[in-house]
Amino acid sequence: MSGPTVHDVAKAAQVSLATVDRVLNNRGGVSSKAEAKVKAAVAQTGYVRNMAAANLSRRRVYRFCFVVPSGDTGFVALLQAALERERDRLVEEQILIQIIPTHAFDVAGQVAALRNLDCDAVAIMASEAPEIQEEVSRLRASGVRVVTLVADLPQSDREAYVGLDNVAAGRTAAEFMGRFLGDSGEILMIAGSLSSRDHNERLMGFRRVMQERFQHLTLLPAVEGNDDAQSVERLVSEASAARPLVGIYAIGAGNKGLVRAVQKADAKPVTIVHELTPTSRQGLRDGTIDLVLDQDTSAAVVAAVRIMRDLTEGRDLPADTGKIRLNIFSRENIQ
Amino acid sequence: MSGPTVHDVAKAAQVSLATVDRVLNNRGGVSSKAEAKVKAAVAQTGYVRNMAAANLSRRRVYRFCFVVPSGDTGFVALLQAALERERDRLVEEQILIQIIPTHAFDVAGQVAALRNLDCDAVAIMASEAPEIQEEVSRLRASGVRVVTLVADLPQSDREAYVGLDNVAAGRTAAEFMGRFLGDSGEILMIAGSLSSRDHNERLMGFRRVMQERFQHLTLLPAVEGNDDAQSVERLVSEASAARPLVGIYAIGAGNKGLVRAVQKADAKPVTIVHELTPTSRQGLRDGTIDLVLDQDTSAAVVAAVRIMRDLTEGRDLPADTGKIRLNIFSRENIQ
DNA sequence: AACAAATTGATTGACGTACCTCAAATCACA
DNA sequence: TGTGATTTGAGGTACGTCAATCAATTTGTT
């Protein structure tokens, strides 16, 4: 009823079980002739290893860590929730998820967190600092598989990145901004931090499409909101007091402040923000926010786990691995 | 190292392994006192059943069927590809996927396919015909779990629907159409079939938002393209010859014809279509198509498998189960 | 107290794979 | 042909759970 087993392979290859085992788990000490026979038998019988039995036998437990910024609002809260959901689901598949919270810009703390890991693979969302890249190298050297999550560390030894194509996200934002805005006018771009890679990539994509396709719109110099509602509110208020804004592209967190400022402004600018949180969802509903570009945290976590598993099992990763789709939410399709 | 086992539970509950087993698999013949002790021990030790071992022991193999329309172009081809990918991946988790191709509108054939099933659960994409709903009831009665895929059969005995919220899809199309179009003008809606539920729901959503928010735009009566490129091309050509079209909402298949007609037309209408296929992708790239609303076939298949598994294991389904996210693609975010 | 019925315990053999040991067979090379 | 190295075979134990049997104990009823 269920597929062929190693016994069937051994029979088909006319060798002993031990030899099949040696080939399958390349333990060496097998003549090339025997190896060929076994491989042929595998192909012929259509044998696939029963992973459940294999893992059971070797008492294998996958231990994956997630080193991510903590917080109980906004994106990080969603990520946290997604992680906990997945953790509960994965226990019964013998996959143990450990969530290690850090502080968003605390490099030292992140390094410390990475230093004390004891697991097969780790997913990291951390600052792009040399100390952290070194830690990644150290982890890799000690046999831990490393993937980056949401924020990439492309210069590091990480083996995969799970998250958005941030340039494409910025380009998409610009496209919708341009198409929603018929007339000319000035657009405000607010990043969380101008020194973070992902925010910069979004800015870059946004700027480029604006320049390529919507030259009648004017981009104000990007400002830094520090992912903080109060700063964002002040920046938006000041900008729209100085001149009429037709559009706002908010790249980082702090949308609560953005919503407050937009509601007080005289004219309603086209507002595009990132991440579907309770705040931005409400903004969509009441019309303060026009579009939310979102990376699905659940999808990211699921993808990360899958990749970590593939890596620890020594499988090679499929081509499009880790690309998280950009979700676009408007008031008509918030779920 | 790995979690507590039944042995630990037995020890903690001060009962025998056999009693733990009786409670865990509710075989009956256990005093309520013992049952309580075991349950307390499970909670206290944090025991979770090792599914791999359980399935191995009872030699369980999940057998899931997918009864879906075949074809080598458009959406059904994508679905087919997604199914095959998942099938290959799932073999090693002891999940056997059988793909049973049918013809799109061949109700008799679909009924026949459903009649010969031998599996634990089935995912069906079929016409909304009484014969099929009866077949679904029969399957359910014989213990097969049934979910609908992409096209729902809400009147039937199916236990879950995996697919888009088609009303929301239509509403979203209307919103973007309205926002892209500043001026007034006439909009053409082309459905595949006016008698199919999903197409009707999309139309309904589209119409409603147009009426609620964009009354300066005029909707022409919906036409039927029969998911066929030639029909669609003819319909679009005729419509745009008769009057200037500012927008086209194409709900079904046949986008090849749509693209040809739009390219020949004098004025370029805002064009929104469904499903990201090679054709619509190309349309986005060359500017013929402005927006593609897509339901991710991979996501749908993965969700369906997960639900079928939950169902056959007797777990109850999470609340938001089966809702497939509406992906919105523009030329800047085709991946 | 006697007896049947209900409950509990002890034990066993799968499931498919990993991993180990020890002995037997085959090989390479002088 | 003999020696040592390499390759192969046979067999066992373990992983955690299921499913079953049979004996032992407790419980309830008269």
Side-chain angles (χ1 to χ4, degrees), chain A residues 2 61 89 92 171-172 175-176 179 213 290 296 306 315 325 327-328 330 332-333, chain B residues 2 61 89 92 171-172 175-176 179 213 290 296 306 315 325 327-328 330 332-333:
Chain A
S2 86
V61 179
R89 249 192 49 80
E92 67 184 33
R171 294 185 67 96
T172 307
E175 161 159 51
F176 283 102
R179 302 207 62 162
R213 297 174 53 197
D290 294 274
D296 187 332
R306 187 148 162 177
R315 270 195 287 250
R325 190 155 281 129
N327 289 317
I328 301 173
S330 71
E332 299 299 350
N333 74 329
Chain B
S2 87
V61 180
R89 249 191 49 77
E92 65 184 35
R171 295 185 65 97
T172 306
E175 161 159 50
F176 283 102
R179 302 207 62 161
R213 298 173 53 196
D290 294 274
D296 187 334
R306 188 152 162 173
R315 270 195 287 251
R325 190 156 281 128
N327 288 317
I328 302 173
S330 71
E332 299 298 350
N333 74 331

mmCIF file of all heavy atoms in Angstrom, chain A residues 2 61 89 92 171-172 175-176 179 213 290 296 306 315 325 327-328 330 332-333, chain B residues 2 61 89 92 171-172 175-176 179 213 290 296 306 315 325 327-328 330 332-333:
data_model
loop_
_atom_site.group_PDB
_atom_site.id
_atom_site.type_symbol
_atom_site.label_atom_id
_atom_site.label_comp_id
_atom_site.label_asym_id
_atom_site.label_seq_id
_atom_site.Cartn_x
_atom_site.Cartn_y
_atom_site.Cartn_z
ATOM 1 N N SER A 2 1.702 1.349 1.022
ATOM 2 C CA SER A 2 2.633 2.478 0.962
ATOM 3 C C SER A 2 3.860 2.040 0.181
ATOM 4 O O SER A 2 4.098 0.855 -0.024
ATOM 5 C CB SER A 2 2.999 2.933 2.372
ATOM 6 O OG SER A 2 4.064 2.191 2.878
ATOM 7 N N VAL A 61 15.403 15.970 15.963
ATOM 8 C CA VAL A 61 14.495 17.065 16.252
ATOM 9 C C VAL A 61 15.100 18.285 15.594
ATOM 10 O O VAL A 61 16.282 18.548 15.751
ATOM 11 C CB VAL A 61 14.386 17.292 17.770
ATOM 12 C CG1 VAL A 61 13.450 18.444 18.056
ATOM 13 C CG2 VAL A 61 13.913 16.038 18.455
ATOM 14 N N ARG A 89 2.121 24.954 15.828
ATOM 15 C CA ARG A 89 1.786 23.981 14.802
ATOM 16 C C ARG A 89 2.912 22.977 14.556
ATOM 17 O O ARG A 89 2.691 21.826 14.213
ATOM 18 C CB ARG A 89 1.510 24.706 13.492
ATOM 19 C CG ARG A 89 0.086 24.687 13.005
ATOM 20 C CD ARG A 89 0.062 25.184 11.588
ATOM 21 N NE ARG A 89 1.069 24.514 10.795
ATOM 22 C CZ ARG A 89 0.927 23.305 10.288
ATOM 23 N NH1 ARG A 89 -0.177 22.626 10.491
ATOM 24 N NH2 ARG A 89 1.901 22.779 9.572
ATOM 25 N N GLU A 92 4.379 19.297 16.749
ATOM 26 C CA GLU A 92 4.031 17.908 16.507
ATOM 27 C C GLU A 92 4.695 17.347 15.257
ATOM 28 O O GLU A 92 4.556 16.178 14.965
ATOM 29 C CB GLU A 92 2.511 17.731 16.442
ATOM 30 C CG GLU A 92 1.831 18.382 15.283
ATOM 31 C CD GLU A 92 0.322 18.209 15.421
ATOM 32 O OE1 GLU A 92 -0.170 18.189 16.571
ATOM 33 O OE2 GLU A 92 -0.339 18.074 14.409
ATOM 34 N N ARG A 171 9.128 50.516 -6.166
ATOM 35 C CA ARG A 171 8.675 50.781 -7.532
ATOM 36 C C ARG A 171 7.148 50.671 -7.606
ATOM 37 O O ARG A 171 6.483 51.490 -8.246
ATOM 38 C CB ARG A 171 9.312 49.779 -8.502
ATOM 39 C CG ARG A 171 10.821 49.926 -8.644
ATOM 40 C CD ARG A 171 11.356 48.975 -9.715
ATOM 41 N NE ARG A 171 10.878 49.346 -11.037
ATOM 42 C CZ ARG A 171 11.566 50.091 -11.887
ATOM 43 N NH1 ARG A 171 12.774 50.516 -11.566
ATOM 44 N NH2 ARG A 171 11.066 50.413 -13.063
ATOM 45 N N THR A 172 6.613 49.660 -6.962
ATOM 46 C CA THR A 172 5.165 49.467 -6.985
ATOM 47 C C THR A 172 4.458 50.641 -6.321
ATOM 48 O O THR A 172 3.454 51.151 -6.831
ATOM 49 C CB THR A 172 4.815 48.155 -6.263
ATOM 50 O OG1 THR A 172 5.576 47.103 -6.832
ATOM 51 C CG2 THR A 172 3.339 47.861 -6.377
ATOM 52 N N GLU A 175 4.418 53.456 -8.687
ATOM 53 C CA GLU A 175 3.488 53.285 -9.780
ATOM 54 C C GLU A 175 2.060 53.633 -9.368
ATOM 55 O O GLU A 175 1.366 54.394 -10.048
ATOM 56 C CB GLU A 175 3.529 51.845 -10.285
ATOM 57 C CG GLU A 175 2.279 51.498 -11.090
ATOM 58 C CD GLU A 175 2.464 50.340 -12.004
ATOM 59 O OE1 GLU A 175 2.946 49.299 -11.529
ATOM 60 O OE2 GLU A 175 2.138 50.487 -13.203
ATOM 61 N N PHE A 176 1.636 53.099 -8.243
ATOM 62 C CA PHE A 176 0.259 53.396 -7.824
ATOM 63 C C PHE A 176 0.105 54.861 -7.455
ATOM 64 O O PHE A 176 -0.904 55.485 -7.746
ATOM 65 C CB PHE A 176 -0.147 52.471 -6.677
ATOM 66 C CG PHE A 176 -0.486 51.091 -7.148
ATOM 67 C CD1 PHE A 176 0.412 50.049 -7.002
ATOM 68 C CD2 PHE A 176 -1.695 50.832 -7.777
ATOM 69 C CE1 PHE A 176 0.118 48.777 -7.463
ATOM 70 C CE2 PHE A 176 -2.006 49.569 -8.232
ATOM 71 C CZ PHE A 176 -1.089 48.537 -8.081
ATOM 72 N N ARG A 179 -0.269 56.698 -10.646
ATOM 73 C CA ARG A 179 -1.519 56.484 -11.358
ATOM 74 C C ARG A 179 -2.698 57.064 -10.603
ATOM 75 O O ARG A 179 -3.704 57.446 -11.215
ATOM 76 C CB ARG A 179 -1.724 54.989 -11.593
ATOM 77 C CG ARG A 179 -0.555 54.392 -12.373
ATOM 78 C CD ARG A 179 -0.955 53.200 -13.145
ATOM 79 N NE ARG A 179 -1.963 53.537 -14.143
ATOM 80 C CZ ARG A 179 -2.242 52.781 -15.183
ATOM 81 N NH1 ARG A 179 -1.582 51.657 -15.371
ATOM 82 N NH2 ARG A 179 -3.180 53.128 -16.023
ATOM 83 N N ARG A 213 8.662 57.554 -15.031
ATOM 84 C CA ARG A 213 7.312 57.563 -15.593
ATOM 85 C C ARG A 213 6.436 58.718 -15.149
ATOM 86 O O ARG A 213 5.398 58.968 -15.771
ATOM 87 C CB ARG A 213 6.607 56.240 -15.234
ATOM 88 C CG ARG A 213 7.301 55.031 -15.837
ATOM 89 C CD ARG A 213 6.692 53.728 -15.353
ATOM 90 N NE ARG A 213 5.249 53.667 -15.548
ATOM 91 C CZ ARG A 213 4.457 52.803 -14.929
ATOM 92 N NH1 ARG A 213 4.990 51.941 -14.066
ATOM 93 N NH2 ARG A 213 3.160 52.797 -15.143
ATOM 94 N N ASP A 290 -4.503 55.116 1.527
ATOM 95 C CA ASP A 290 -5.047 54.653 0.259
ATOM 96 C C ASP A 290 -4.580 53.253 -0.110
ATOM 97 O O ASP A 290 -5.305 52.495 -0.740
ATOM 98 C CB ASP A 290 -4.646 55.633 -0.844
ATOM 99 C CG ASP A 290 -5.291 56.982 -0.631
ATOM 100 O OD1 ASP A 290 -6.429 57.160 -1.077
ATOM 101 O OD2 ASP A 290 -4.672 57.847 0.031
ATOM 102 N N ASP A 296 3.560 39.492 4.040
ATOM 103 C CA ASP A 296 2.804 38.607 4.902
ATOM 104 C C ASP A 296 3.743 37.921 5.895
ATOM 105 O O ASP A 296 4.599 37.137 5.522
ATOM 106 C CB ASP A 296 2.115 37.567 4.020
ATOM 107 C CG ASP A 296 1.177 36.704 4.812
ATOM 108 O OD1 ASP A 296 1.409 36.521 6.011
ATOM 109 O OD2 ASP A 296 0.215 36.221 4.215
ATOM 110 N N ARG A 306 10.656 26.417 6.106
ATOM 111 C CA ARG A 306 10.856 25.452 5.021
ATOM 112 C C ARG A 306 12.299 25.480 4.529
ATOM 113 O O ARG A 306 12.913 24.437 4.309
ATOM 114 C CB ARG A 306 9.905 25.826 3.881
ATOM 115 C CG ARG A 306 9.874 24.843 2.759
ATOM 116 C CD ARG A 306 8.491 24.845 2.172
ATOM 117 N NE ARG A 306 8.452 24.260 0.848
ATOM 118 C CZ ARG A 306 7.325 24.098 0.169
ATOM 119 N NH1 ARG A 306 6.181 24.510 0.697
ATOM 120 N NH2 ARG A 306 7.322 23.544 -1.015
ATOM 121 N N ARG A 315 19.214 19.351 1.445
ATOM 122 C CA ARG A 315 18.601 19.519 0.124
ATOM 123 C C ARG A 315 19.057 20.839 -0.464
ATOM 124 O O ARG A 315 19.346 21.785 0.262
ATOM 125 C CB ARG A 315 17.079 19.565 0.264
ATOM 126 C CG ARG A 315 16.416 18.226 0.183
ATOM 127 C CD ARG A 315 14.941 18.437 -0.047
ATOM 128 N NE ARG A 315 14.310 18.911 1.177
ATOM 129 C CZ ARG A 315 13.474 18.186 1.905
ATOM 130 N NH1 ARG A 315 13.176 16.980 1.533
ATOM 131 N NH2 ARG A 315 12.934 18.663 2.990
ATOM 132 N N ARG A 325 5.888 37.394 -1.452
ATOM 133 C CA ARG A 325 5.082 38.212 -2.347
ATOM 134 C C ARG A 325 4.683 39.513 -1.667
ATOM 135 O O ARG A 325 4.420 39.562 -0.474
ATOM 136 C CB ARG A 325 3.853 37.413 -2.756
ATOM 137 C CG ARG A 325 3.070 38.039 -3.835
ATOM 138 C CD ARG A 325 2.284 37.015 -4.581
ATOM 139 N NE ARG A 325 3.108 36.288 -5.522
ATOM 140 C CZ ARG A 325 3.172 34.975 -5.594
ATOM 141 N NH1 ARG A 325 2.498 34.256 -4.760
ATOM 142 N NH2 ARG A 325 3.927 34.402 -6.503
ATOM 143 N N ASN A 327 2.065 41.995 -0.876
ATOM 144 C CA ASN A 327 0.608 42.093 -0.853
ATOM 145 C C ASN A 327 0.180 43.541 -0.904
ATOM 146 O O ASN A 327 0.741 44.374 -0.208
ATOM 147 C CB ASN A 327 0.063 41.447 0.414
ATOM 148 C CG ASN A 327 0.186 39.955 0.375
ATOM 149 O OD1 ASN A 327 -0.088 39.336 -0.647
ATOM 150 N ND2 ASN A 327 0.610 39.364 1.470
ATOM 151 N N ILE A 328 -0.802 43.786 -1.708
ATOM 152 C CA ILE A 328 -1.291 45.146 -1.859
ATOM 153 C C ILE A 328 -2.707 45.208 -1.323
ATOM 154 O O ILE A 328 -3.591 44.489 -1.796
ATOM 155 C CB ILE A 328 -1.279 45.570 -3.342
ATOM 156 C CG1 ILE A 328 0.152 45.462 -3.882
ATOM 157 C CG2 ILE A 328 -1.820 46.980 -3.505
ATOM 158 C CD1 ILE A 328 0.253 45.684 -5.366
ATOM 159 N N SER A 330 -6.084 47.521 -0.369
ATOM 160 C CA SER A 330 -6.841 48.764 -0.449
ATOM 161 C C SER A 330 -8.083 48.557 0.412
ATOM 162 O O SER A 330 -8.282 47.494 0.987
ATOM 163 C CB SER A 330 -7.242 49.037 -1.891
ATOM 164 O OG SER A 330 -8.244 48.097 -2.266
ATOM 165 N N GLU A 332 -10.913 47.882 -0.336
ATOM 166 C CA GLU A 332 -11.834 46.849 -0.812
ATOM 167 C C GLU A 332 -11.328 45.430 -0.599
ATOM 168 O O GLU A 332 -12.081 44.477 -0.763
ATOM 169 C CB GLU A 332 -12.147 47.059 -2.295
ATOM 170 C CG GLU A 332 -12.807 48.385 -2.631
ATOM 171 C CD GLU A 332 -14.161 48.558 -1.943
ATOM 172 O OE1 GLU A 332 -14.679 47.588 -1.365
ATOM 173 O OE2 GLU A 332 -14.698 49.687 -1.987
ATOM 174 N N ASN A 333 -10.084 45.276 -0.286
ATOM 175 C CA ASN A 333 -9.627 43.886 -0.118
ATOM 176 C C ASN A 333 -8.874 43.633 1.187
ATOM 177 O O ASN A 333 -8.038 42.740 1.259
ATOM 178 C CB ASN A 333 -8.792 43.428 -1.328
ATOM 179 C CG ASN A 333 -7.411 44.063 -1.328
ATOM 180 O OD1 ASN A 333 -7.251 45.179 -0.848
ATOM 181 N ND2 ASN A 333 -6.433 43.365 -1.868
ATOM 182 N N SER B 2 14.362 15.262 22.903
ATOM 183 C CA SER B 2 13.050 15.547 22.316
ATOM 184 C C SER B 2 11.994 15.364 23.401
ATOM 185 O O SER B 2 12.241 14.737 24.423
ATOM 186 C CB SER B 2 12.793 14.617 21.139
ATOM 187 O OG SER B 2 12.210 13.418 21.571
ATOM 188 N N VAL B 61 -1.110 6.385 5.384
ATOM 189 C CA VAL B 61 -0.717 7.139 4.210
ATOM 190 C C VAL B 61 -1.905 8.016 3.857
ATOM 191 O O VAL B 61 -3.031 7.525 3.796
ATOM 192 C CB VAL B 61 -0.390 6.207 3.032
ATOM 193 C CG1 VAL B 61 0.012 7.005 1.816
ATOM 194 C CG2 VAL B 61 0.699 5.233 3.421
ATOM 195 N N ARG B 89 6.718 17.049 -3.734
ATOM 196 C CA ARG B 89 7.221 17.407 -2.414
ATOM 197 C C ARG B 89 6.595 16.559 -1.314
ATOM 198 O O ARG B 89 7.222 16.267 -0.302
ATOM 199 C CB ARG B 89 6.883 18.869 -2.140
ATOM 200 C CG ARG B 89 8.065 19.819 -2.091
ATOM 201 C CD ARG B 89 7.594 21.133 -1.558
ATOM 202 N NE ARG B 89 6.821 20.956 -0.344
ATOM 203 C CZ ARG B 89 7.352 20.703 0.838
ATOM 204 N NH1 ARG B 89 8.649 20.616 0.982
ATOM 205 N NH2 ARG B 89 6.581 20.539 1.904
ATOM 206 N N GLU B 92 7.330 12.399 0.214
ATOM 207 C CA GLU B 92 8.192 11.983 1.323
ATOM 208 C C GLU B 92 7.583 12.313 2.677
ATOM 209 O O GLU B 92 8.161 11.975 3.696
ATOM 210 C CB GLU B 92 9.580 12.601 1.175
ATOM 211 C CG GLU B 92 9.635 14.090 1.278
ATOM 212 C CD GLU B 92 11.068 14.568 1.005
ATOM 213 O OE1 GLU B 92 11.752 13.945 0.162
ATOM 214 O OE2 GLU B 92 11.483 15.507 1.645
ATOM 215 N N ARG B 171 -14.681 43.915 -6.300
ATOM 216 C CA ARG B 171 -14.659 45.231 -5.664
ATOM 217 C C ARG B 171 -13.287 45.880 -5.829
ATOM 218 O O ARG B 171 -13.172 47.066 -6.129
ATOM 219 C CB ARG B 171 -15.005 45.119 -4.170
ATOM 220 C CG ARG B 171 -16.411 44.636 -3.878
ATOM 221 C CD ARG B 171 -16.706 44.662 -2.381
ATOM 222 N NE ARG B 171 -16.707 46.017 -1.865
ATOM 223 C CZ ARG B 171 -17.794 46.755 -1.689
ATOM 224 N NH1 ARG B 171 -18.982 46.247 -1.989
ATOM 225 N NH2 ARG B 171 -17.709 47.984 -1.238
ATOM 226 N N THR B 172 -12.268 45.076 -5.651
ATOM 227 C CA THR B 172 -10.919 45.609 -5.774
ATOM 228 C C THR B 172 -10.653 46.069 -7.199
ATOM 229 O O THR B 172 -10.080 47.148 -7.429
ATOM 230 C CB THR B 172 -9.900 44.520 -5.375
ATOM 231 O OG1 THR B 172 -10.238 44.037 -4.078
ATOM 232 C CG2 THR B 172 -8.494 45.081 -5.359
ATOM 233 N N GLU B 175 -12.276 49.339 -7.651
ATOM 234 C CA GLU B 175 -11.595 50.436 -6.980
ATOM 235 C C GLU B 175 -10.405 50.927 -7.798
ATOM 236 O O GLU B 175 -10.240 52.131 -8.023
ATOM 237 C CB GLU B 175 -11.116 50.002 -5.596
ATOM 238 C CG GLU B 175 -10.034 50.924 -5.071
ATOM 239 C CD GLU B 175 -9.883 50.860 -3.590
ATOM 240 O OE1 GLU B 175 -9.778 49.748 -3.072
ATOM 241 O OE2 GLU B 175 -9.886 51.931 -2.977
ATOM 242 N N PHE B 176 -9.581 50.007 -8.256
ATOM 243 C CA PHE B 176 -8.400 50.442 -9.009
ATOM 244 C C PHE B 176 -8.805 51.048 -10.338
ATOM 245 O O PHE B 176 -8.240 52.035 -10.792
ATOM 246 C CB PHE B 176 -7.420 49.289 -9.193
ATOM 247 C CG PHE B 176 -6.630 49.012 -7.945
ATOM 248 C CD1 PHE B 176 -6.957 47.961 -7.123
ATOM 249 C CD2 PHE B 176 -5.579 49.838 -7.591
ATOM 250 C CE1 PHE B 176 -6.243 47.720 -5.962
ATOM 251 C CE2 PHE B 176 -4.855 49.612 -6.430
ATOM 252 C CZ PHE B 176 -5.187 48.553 -5.612
ATOM 253 N N ARG B 179 -9.898 54.542 -9.631
ATOM 254 C CA ARG B 179 -8.833 55.463 -9.240
ATOM 255 C C ARG B 179 -7.875 55.732 -10.389
ATOM 256 O O ARG B 179 -7.252 56.788 -10.458
ATOM 257 C CB ARG B 179 -8.075 54.882 -8.052
ATOM 258 C CG ARG B 179 -9.026 54.638 -6.879
ATOM 259 C CD ARG B 179 -8.325 54.712 -5.584
ATOM 260 N NE ARG B 179 -7.757 56.036 -5.372
ATOM 261 C CZ ARG B 179 -7.400 56.497 -4.181
ATOM 262 N NH1 ARG B 179 -7.545 55.737 -3.117
ATOM 263 N NH2 ARG B 179 -6.868 57.686 -4.063
ATOM 264 N N ARG B 213 -19.007 54.370 -5.569
ATOM 265 C CA ARG B 213 -17.929 55.349 -5.480
ATOM 266 C C ARG B 213 -17.554 56.017 -6.784
ATOM 267 O O ARG B 213 -16.863 57.037 -6.776
ATOM 268 C CB ARG B 213 -16.682 54.665 -4.891
ATOM 269 C CG ARG B 213 -16.901 54.133 -3.489
ATOM 270 C CD ARG B 213 -15.726 53.317 -3.002
ATOM 271 N NE ARG B 213 -14.462 54.028 -3.112
ATOM 272 C CZ ARG B 213 -13.274 53.444 -3.049
ATOM 273 N NH1 ARG B 213 -13.198 52.148 -2.867
ATOM 274 N NH2 ARG B 213 -12.173 54.161 -3.158
ATOM 275 N N ASP B 290 -3.074 46.674 -17.409
ATOM 276 C CA ASP B 290 -2.651 47.561 -16.343
ATOM 277 C C ASP B 290 -2.535 46.856 -15.000
ATOM 278 O O ASP B 290 -1.686 47.205 -14.191
ATOM 279 C CB ASP B 290 -3.644 48.721 -16.233
ATOM 280 C CG ASP B 290 -3.600 49.586 -17.475
ATOM 281 O OD1 ASP B 290 -2.767 50.492 -17.521
ATOM 282 O OD2 ASP B 290 -4.379 49.317 -18.414
ATOM 283 N N ASP B 296 -3.089 32.864 -6.207
ATOM 284 C CA ASP B 296 -1.869 32.076 -6.279
ATOM 285 C C ASP B 296 -2.203 30.595 -6.247
ATOM 286 O O ASP B 296 -2.707 30.071 -5.264
ATOM 287 C CB ASP B 296 -0.998 32.458 -5.090
ATOM 288 C CG ASP B 296 0.365 31.812 -5.177
ATOM 289 O OD1 ASP B 296 0.476 30.761 -5.810
ATOM 290 O OD2 ASP B 296 1.296 32.380 -4.606
ATOM 291 N N ARG B 306 -3.396 21.220 3.308
ATOM 292 C CA ARG B 306 -3.376 21.400 4.762
ATOM 293 C C ARG B 306 -4.753 21.149 5.356
ATOM 294 O O ARG B 306 -4.904 20.483 6.371
ATOM 295 C CB ARG B 306 -2.928 22.820 5.058
ATOM 296 C CG ARG B 306 -2.672 23.079 6.504
ATOM 297 C CD ARG B 306 -1.636 24.156 6.608
ATOM 298 N NE ARG B 306 -1.603 24.781 7.913
ATOM 299 C CZ ARG B 306 -0.673 25.672 8.257
ATOM 300 N NH1 ARG B 306 0.240 26.015 7.386
ATOM 301 N NH2 ARG B 306 -0.674 26.202 9.449
ATOM 302 N N ARG B 315 -8.863 17.114 13.185
ATOM 303 C CA ARG B 315 -8.655 18.416 13.832
ATOM 304 C C ARG B 315 -9.739 19.362 13.355
ATOM 305 O O ARG B 315 -10.257 19.230 12.254
ATOM 306 C CB ARG B 315 -7.305 18.990 13.402
ATOM 307 C CG ARG B 315 -6.162 18.610 14.289
ATOM 308 C CD ARG B 315 -5.003 19.515 13.989
ATOM 309 N NE ARG B 315 -4.398 19.174 12.710
ATOM 310 C CZ ARG B 315 -3.201 18.596 12.593
ATOM 311 N NH1 ARG B 315 -2.506 18.314 13.663
ATOM 312 N NH2 ARG B 315 -2.699 18.310 11.415
ATOM 313 N N ARG B 325 -5.353 34.691 -0.596
ATOM 314 C CA ARG B 325 -5.162 36.122 -0.755
ATOM 315 C C ARG B 325 -5.230 36.514 -2.222
ATOM 316 O O ARG B 325 -4.778 35.782 -3.096
ATOM 317 C CB ARG B 325 -3.811 36.499 -0.157
ATOM 318 C CG ARG B 325 -3.629 37.963 -0.058
ATOM 319 C CD ARG B 325 -2.635 38.303 1.012
ATOM 320 N NE ARG B 325 -3.225 38.237 2.338
ATOM 321 C CZ ARG B 325 -2.725 37.553 3.339
ATOM 322 N NH1 ARG B 325 -1.657 36.838 3.157
ATOM 323 N NH2 ARG B 325 -3.300 37.580 4.508
ATOM 324 N N ASN B 327 -3.811 38.410 -5.057
ATOM 325 C CA ASN B 327 -2.556 39.068 -5.417
ATOM 326 C C ASN B 327 -2.804 40.074 -6.518
ATOM 327 O O ASN B 327 -3.513 39.800 -7.483
ATOM 328 C CB ASN B 327 -1.539 38.044 -5.895
ATOM 329 C CG ASN B 327 -1.032 37.205 -4.767
ATOM 330 O OD1 ASN B 327 -0.736 37.725 -3.690
ATOM 331 N ND2 ASN B 327 -0.939 35.901 -4.979
ATOM 332 N N ILE B 328 -2.200 41.223 -6.352
ATOM 333 C CA ILE B 328 -2.367 42.285 -7.331
ATOM 334 C C ILE B 328 -1.033 42.531 -8.007
ATOM 335 O O ILE B 328 -0.049 42.845 -7.341
ATOM 336 C CB ILE B 328 -2.853 43.575 -6.645
ATOM 337 C CG1 ILE B 328 -4.174 43.307 -5.922
ATOM 338 C CG2 ILE B 328 -2.998 44.688 -7.658
ATOM 339 C CD1 ILE B 328 -4.652 44.452 -5.071
ATOM 340 N N SER B 330 1.165 44.531 -10.984
ATOM 341 C CA SER B 330 1.294 45.590 -11.967
ATOM 342 C C SER B 330 2.650 45.394 -12.641
ATOM 343 O O SER B 330 3.384 44.470 -12.298
ATOM 344 C CB SER B 330 1.253 46.947 -11.284
ATOM 345 O OG SER B 330 2.451 47.130 -10.558
ATOM 346 N N GLU B 332 5.271 46.762 -12.226
ATOM 347 C CA GLU B 332 6.429 46.938 -11.354
ATOM 348 C C GLU B 332 6.627 45.790 -10.360
ATOM 349 O O GLU B 332 7.651 45.717 -9.706
ATOM 350 C CB GLU B 332 6.324 48.264 -10.582
ATOM 351 C CG GLU B 332 6.284 49.505 -11.449
ATOM 352 C CD GLU B 332 7.548 49.678 -12.292
ATOM 353 O OE1 GLU B 332 8.538 48.958 -12.074
ATOM 354 O OE2 GLU B 332 7.526 50.540 -13.201
ATOM 355 N N ASN B 333 5.667 44.958 -10.209
ATOM 356 C CA ASN B 333 5.879 43.881 -9.236
ATOM 357 C C ASN B 333 5.567 42.476 -9.759
ATOM 358 O O ASN B 333 5.241 41.581 -9.005
ATOM 359 C CB ASN B 333 5.097 44.150 -7.945
ATOM 360 C CG ASN B 333 3.605 43.929 -8.107
ATOM 361 O OD1 ASN B 333 3.088 44.106 -9.200
ATOM 362 N ND2 ASN B 333 2.943 43.523 -7.049
#
